[in-house]
Amino acid sequence: MEYLIILNFLTAIVAFIVLCWKRHFLFALVALFCIVFYGYGIWHAGIHIDNEICQMLHDEERYGRDKAYPAALGGWMALMLSNVFLALYPWLKRWAVVLWMLQVAACGVAVSIFSPLSVTEGLYAVCCAIMCEMAIMTGLTYLEFTVLENIYLHSLLPTVFALPALCVSVRSLRKERQHNYLSLLVSGAWFVLNLCMTIVVWTHYIHLPLVDAGRLCIGELKAMSGHTWSGYVTVNILIFVVAFLVDAIISWLIYRYAKHHFTQKRS
């Protein structure tokens, strides 16, 4: 497992080359970010970090070796396959996104098979392992990185995902005899809804230091779950995986509708 960070780095390079070759420059920027991230991780933390990952999973999630090692392996595989499907996007298009979501779920199932975890706990363990891997690569603590990712980045991305549909609708509105007020209304309302969600989440935590924000978030999640472990895992999966993916899919559907109408009008 110790060399999987190098495989992640190499697959990110391959994805960047392929996407530049196929002129998908937006996704190429994502691949470039992955290259820089993994390169910094290798330089900062080295390649022999599996014991650190397992130790962090033990300290933060109380996972023994029988749970921590399969979770860490599943996390690395999920990250590497993400680079693979990023490289395959020019050919698979939307199916690359679908297969990416399925592979993350498959990694969770695989972890549950090779460890004493249920399927839901396996998916949760993969997500925790990814957090540990990225925290170690960046030199942050587990709690600090989860706050940056789960609270700030996770709440910002839905607003970013809703932006392309709004841009297409506004562009359509500016063209003569190509007005589609329904598309503008839907995409605008969806963007404002996601923006309000981002603002609410950020203002709830932004005044706190990272560690205090993390403890507050964990306390609120535990309260929502009824202070049971299975409920806590389920709440995390529903909020940070299911709800996030549903929001992204809705943004994509609105974008496809706006783009389809704009293309029809132009032709």
Side-chain angles (χ1 to χ4, degrees):
M1 186 175 71
E2 59 189 13
Y3 295 107
L4 287 178
I5 187 174
I6 296 180
L7 289 177
N8 274 272
F9 180 66
L10 294 177
T11 52
I13 293 175
V14 172
F16 176 74
I17 294 172
V18 170
L19 291 166
C20 288
W21 171 45
K22 289 294 184 178
R23 297 181 180 275
H24 289 276
F25 297 114
L26 181 60
F27 288 106
L29 287 176
V30 177
L32 180 61
F33 172 79
C34 293
I35 293 171
V36 174
F37 188 87
Y38 288 121
Y40 177 78
I42 293 172
W43 174 78
H44 176 264
I47 61 174
H48 305 285
I49 60 175
D50 22 320
N51 288 332
E52 295 179 58
I53 296 169
C54 292
Q55 185 62 44
M56 186 175 283
L57 283 169
H58 174 269
D59 294 340
E60 301 297 337
E61 300 294 339
R62 301 297 184 265
Y63 284 171
R65 184 75 179 182
D66 57 336
K67 296 179 181 179
Y69 190 86
L73 183 60
W76 281 127
M77 292 303 298
L79 290 173
M80 185 173 65
L81 290 172
S82 298
N83 293 331
V84 171
F85 286 115
L86 189 62
L88 293 175
Y89 178 81
W91 293 278
L92 297 178
K93 299 298 184 182
R94 70 193 69 174
W95 291 107
V97 180
V98 175
L99 292 173
W100 171 76
M101 291 188 291
L102 291 177
Q103 69 88 9
V104 174
C107 288
V109 173
V111 169
S112 69
I113 293 174
F114 295 103
S115 69
L117 294 166
S118 66
V119 175
T120 305
E121 290 175 328
L123 181 57
Y124 174 78
V126 168
C127 295
C128 291
I130 292 174
M131 295 295 180
C132 290
E133 289 154 4
M134 292 187 171
I136 291 171
M137 284 190 286
T138 55
L140 299 173
T141 67
Y142 179 78
L143 194 58
E144 288 172 339
F145 189 85
T146 53
V147 169
L148 292 175
E149 203 286 329
N150 282 350
I151 293 179
Y152 296 120
L153 181 62
H154 223 74
S155 62
L156 176 63
L157 285 178
T159 301
V160 176
F161 293 158
L163 188 58
L166 180 62
C167 291
V168 172
S169 298
V170 171
R171 185 183 176 192
S172 174
L173 191 67
R174 292 173 60 186
K175 298 293 182 179
E176 187 178 358
R177 295 186 302 277
Q178 293 183 12
H179 296 171
N180 184 6
Y181 295 104
L182 179 60
S183 173
L184 180 64
L185 177 63
V186 173
S187 60
W190 184 245
F191 175 79
V192 170
L193 180 64
N194 281 282
L195 179 62
C196 289
M197 181 273 296
T198 300
I199 293 173
V200 168
V201 173
W202 278 46
T203 53
H204 184 62
Y205 296 102
I206 197 69
H207 64 285
L208 297 172
L210 289 179
V211 174
D212 293 339
R215 290 171 179 167
L216 175 61
C217 181
I218 291 173
E220 291 171 341
L221 291 171
K222 287 181 177 179
M224 293 171 62
S225 64
H227 296 279
T228 63
W229 172 247
S230 60
Y232 180 74
V233 170
T234 302
V235 167
N236 273 272
I237 295 297
L238 289 176
I239 292 177
F240 297 114
V241 179
V242 177
F244 179 78
L245 291 178
V246 169
D247 188 282
I249 290 171
I250 293 175
S251 295
W252 177 77
L253 291 174
I254 296 174
Y255 170 76
R256 293 295 299 177
Y257 169 75
K259 186 176 181 181
H260 176 70
H261 178 84
F262 182 55
T263 304
Q264 275 191 330
K265 289 296 185 180
R266 290 182 65 183
S267 59

